């Protein structure tokens, strides 16, 4: 699955490289997917750590709390494991929607 290509199909999504070698997908000025090296993707998987931990419990070998921002509901989702591609696409959709909802209305993309 080409995670970056899927992320960039979202309205208003664009690719950035805020740190050398770390590719992210943004909407407005906010990251909704940390692509990195392509082995995993960092996604907003809940409003808080408790909600995001539900996915860790379901896929303990393929999902972990993101470093530094995990307490805010971000998980690292490993690609090529037990998580089906359609579920990864759904997680990307949810992360995108969560970030769009936090943008000021004037900066939200129109579909």
């Amino acid at each position: 699955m080409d995670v970056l290509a899927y992320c960039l199909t979202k309205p208003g999504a664009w690719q950035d490289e805020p740190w050398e070698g770390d590719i992210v997908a943004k909407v407005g000025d906010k990251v909704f997917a940390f692509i990195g090296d392509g082995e995993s993707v960092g996604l907003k998987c809940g409003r808080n750590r408790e909600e995001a931990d539900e996915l860790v419990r379901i896929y303990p070998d393929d999902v972990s709390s993101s470093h530094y921002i995990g307490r805010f509901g971000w998980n690292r989702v490993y690609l090529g494991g037990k998580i089906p591609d359609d579920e990864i696409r759904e997680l990307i959709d949810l992360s995108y929607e969560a970030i769009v909802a936090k943008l000021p209305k004037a900066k939200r993309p129109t579909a």
Side-chain angles (χ1 to χ4, degrees):
M1 173 181 180
D2 188 337
V3 171
L4 179 59
Y6 183 74
C7 288
L8 296 179
T9 66
K10 301 288 175 202
W14 58 286
Q15 177 180 333
D16 194 13
E17 190 176 344
W19 310 279
E20 188 175 333
D22 282 336
I23 304 296
V24 300
K26 289 184 171 181
V27 59
D29 60 350
K30 303 289 184 189
V31 174
F32 70 92
F34 292 89
I35 312 297
D37 58 10
E39 291 182 12
S40 65
V41 59
L43 299 168
K44 179 85 167 146
C45 294
R47 291 177 295 201
N48 53 42
R49 185 73 250 146
E50 185 177 293
E51 285 184 12
D53 278 343
E54 183 177 330
L55 196 60
V56 176
R57 283 190 290 279
I58 295 169
Y59 297 107
D61 296 332
D62 296 310
V63 179
S64 62
S65 175
S66 294
H67 296 298
Y68 309 112
I69 58 173
R71 68 182 180 270
F72 301 110
W74 288 83
N75 283 340
R76 185 173 185 187
V77 178
Y78 293 89
L79 306 172
K82 293 180 181 176
I83 305 173
D85 286 353
D86 62 334
E87 189 165 350
I88 291 173
R89 284 189 285 274
E90 184 178 324
L91 292 170
I92 292 168
D93 294 348
L94 293 171
S95 184
Y96 171 83
E97 291 165 10
I99 299 307
V100 166
K102 291 182 176 186
L103 291 174
K105 288 186 182 184
K107 291 190 176 190
R108 291 182 190 166
T110 55

